[in-house]
Amino acid sequence: MSGIAVSDTPGRGRARRGAGGGSWWAPARTGFAGLALLAAAVVPSASATTQPVPAPAAGTFAYVANGLAGSLSVVDTADNTVASTIDVGDDPNGVAVSPDGNRVFVANRLSDTVSLVLPAADAALSVPVGDNPVGVAVSPDGTRAYVTNTISNNMTVITADAIPPSVVATVHVGTRPQDVAIARGGTRAYVANLLDGTVAVVDTTDNTLLTAVPVGQLPQGVAASPDGTRVYVTNFGDGTLSVIDTANNTVLSTVPLGNGTSPADVAVSRDGSRAYVANFSSDNVSVIDTAANPPAVIATVPVGEEPLGVALTPDGSRAYVTSSMGNTVSVIDTATRTVTDTIGGFNIPLGVATATRGVAGTPTALTLTAEHTGHGNGHGHGRDASGVKGERGPTLKARLTGGGRPLAGRSVLFAGDSRVWCTGTTDSRGRAACTVRGKQDDDACYTAAFPGDSTHAPATATTCTERRIAANGKR
């Protein structure tokens, strides 16, 4: 789901757009602060090896961007409770998840960044993109993320499988781009251009603009059918849904949703037979039979106030709909087309995405030590990782194993109580290290996290200083 920007004036839900900045080593807000909560699981010594922190259980989760709070809520769909809340950037909008469910990407409009969220570690890192990013999508193979920048009028392409991600291309797409969807087996990106009334088609093999397809007024939400043959576009300004044939990039049909609906977002079922449209102004969701000729609305489901985002669970049994002004998420049973649950406690919920996070692959384990050098309080002097002479904190050393064997060539992230220090790549013995820059408090905690990959499960380990443990009564 993209951020929904009908104007560039900050306001209610759809109008919240702006500018900002950010970088990897100064994460937006307090990224990784949640990792400090894992301190209770450590062996009580700042220089002793920690025990691994168990990875979260597998399951299906809904990820909800809280626009006002600058956070991402992780909802366990098994019981529809908020399992955790992770700080990201300012005014998070669009949300997308990697195919394996291990990485979540969040477009932070007011920070001009995209956060890479690692749910297994309750961790978030940010990478700068363009001006006012609002929409994000991940390629089917999980190697690329595509981010629309509504003020820059372009789309940033970043590596989705690397830590940290890097920008590989920037593509001009049109005026005030909103949502983006990937189709045709990952070879095409479709971007809704709000003020052009078009959908830009980008060839993702070489990141070039191919064409622009005229659609309705103020196009915003975009979703592709699972087989990639159709792209569905919500037209906020005229209450319609455009259906694009991706074979020739023409509009096959236009589905009327009703006057005063203001359709904001769209999701397509796994079999491609249904589309679900969140109607911002009429506080409901239109259910569309996409197999009909022409496609037609077959049901309307009332939800919360000013719905902006909609996402289906991977099995298609439920739809999660954000109510931007009700601060709730409605859960729709797609079989009965009724709301079966309403989840509260959000703060201007905007984008939403769902994914199943499994435990397939080899279990992994991390150990961590924090070795102090120098004299006095344990914090030495010397040169930091950039070669700058001055105060130096502890050296963090992690060891990653899978099935009891060292894992080489994997990225490990090192963090303190409120920031990311660096990333390291494990060597042939599964070891990676990071020297913390600057003098640190005597009661600090440090964390190492492996986000997991297609063959190995995620793992986290944390260690704290003696003073921190004593303060928490954990001696």
Side-chain angles (χ1 to χ4, degrees):
M1 177 261 176
S2 77
I4 304 301
V6 173
S7 72
D8 297 320
T9 303
R12 301 174 66 190
R14 70 182 189 277
R16 305 183 69 247
R17 301 285 177 268
S23 67
W24 266 92
W25 309 125
R29 300 179 69 87
T30 60
F32 263 105
L35 291 177
L37 299 178
L38 296 174
V42 306
V43 171
S45 172
S47 59
T49 301
T50 65
Q51 296 297 320
V53 177
T60 298
F61 299 87
Y63 300 94
V64 180
N66 295 295
L68 193 59
S71 64
L72 184 76
S73 293
V74 181
V75 177
D76 188 339
T77 65
D79 56 9
N80 288 327
T81 59
V82 176
S84 63
T85 300
I86 303 168
D87 287 338
V88 287
D90 291 329
D91 195 15
N93 280 252
V95 183
V97 190
S98 62
D100 62 9
N102 287 331
R103 303 178 188 214
V104 183
F105 294 84
V106 184
N108 304 308
R109 184 184 69 90
L110 288 178
S111 296
D112 290 349
T113 62
V114 168
S115 288
L116 165 59
V117 178
L118 307 173
D122 277 348
L125 294 171
S126 295
V127 59
V129 286
D131 194 356
N132 281 213
V134 294
V136 59
V138 180
S139 62
D141 63 3
T143 63
R144 294 289 184 268
Y146 300 85
V147 186
T148 59
N149 305 300
T150 191
I151 299 301
S152 298
N153 297 326
N154 59 24
M155 179 174 70
T156 302
V157 184
I158 65 175
T159 54
D161 57 349
I163 298 177
S166 59
V167 174
V168 296
T170 301
V171 187
H172 176 80
V173 290
T175 308
R176 297 297 187 265
Q178 299 293 295
D179 203 2
V180 53
I182 310 302
R184 300 277 299 276
T187 63
R188 298 290 185 272
Y190 288 78
V191 180
N193 294 313
L194 182 75
L195 298 187
D196 288 350
T198 65
V199 172
V201 184
V202 175
D203 185 338
T204 61
T205 62
D206 58 8
N207 295 313
T208 58
L209 178 64
L210 296 177
T211 188
V213 183
V215 287
Q217 298 177 17
L218 301 179
Q220 302 212 21
V222 187
S225 62
D227 63 6
T229 62
R230 301 287 184 269
V231 166
Y232 300 87
V233 185
T234 62
N235 301 304
F236 192 95
D238 59 20
T240 63
L241 181 76
S242 296
V243 184
I244 296 175
D245 183 345
T246 61
N248 52 23
N249 291 321
T250 59
V251 174
L252 283 177
S253 58
T254 300
V255 183
L257 302 174
N259 294 329
T261 53
S262 304
D265 195 25
V266 57
V268 183
S269 64
R270 192 173 187 175
D271 63 2
S273 66
R274 297 288 185 270
Y276 297 80
V277 178
N279 297 311
F280 178 83
S281 295
S282 55
D283 299 341
N284 57 30
V285 170
S286 295
V287 183
I288 298 165
D289 182 353
T290 60
N293 190 16
V297 176
I298 57 174
T300 302
V301 184
V303 289
E305 186 180 1
E306 297 187 356
L308 275 177
V310 57
L312 291 167
T313 53
D315 65 2
S317 64
R318 286 168 290 172
Y320 285 74
V321 185
T322 61
S323 167
S324 62
M325 290 310 296
N327 289 325
T328 60
V329 171
S330 300
V331 184
I332 298 174
D333 183 322
T334 57
T336 62
R337 299 167 191 160
T338 59
V339 173
T340 57
D341 201 354
T342 299
I343 312 167
F346 302 97
N347 200 335
I348 312 295
L350 302 176
V352 58
T354 64
T356 297
R357 187 170 71 231
V359 292
T362 305
T364 59
L366 262 177
T367 57
L368 177 66
T369 60
E371 298 181 358
H372 294 293
T373 59
H375 306 282
N377 65 0
H379 300 288
H381 297 270
R383 296 183 182 273
D384 63 21
S386 64
V388 177
K389 188 175 181 180
E391 296 285 354
R392 185 175 65 185
T395 296
L396 306 178
K397 295 183 178 181
R399 186 170 187 267
L400 177 66
T401 59
R405 297 181 177 181
L407 281 181
R410 266 63 173 191
S411 293
V412 175
L413 294 84
F414 296 91
D417 286 344
S418 61
R419 63 170 296 177
V420 176
W421 294 111
C422 53
T423 62
T425 301
T426 55
D427 61 18
S428 61
R429 294 182 293 176
R431 296 177 178 177
C434 167
T435 298
V436 176
R437 300 180 183 184
K439 183 177 180 180
Q440 301 301 303
D441 293 336
D442 290 335
D443 60 351
C445 283
Y446 305 98
T447 298
F450 168 60
D453 55 29
S454 60
T455 58
H456 290 85
T460 304
T462 299
T463 190
C464 295
T465 63
E466 292 283 358
R467 176 179 288 187
R468 169 64 67 87
I469 295 167
N472 290 336
K474 299 296 181 181
R475 291 194 61 87

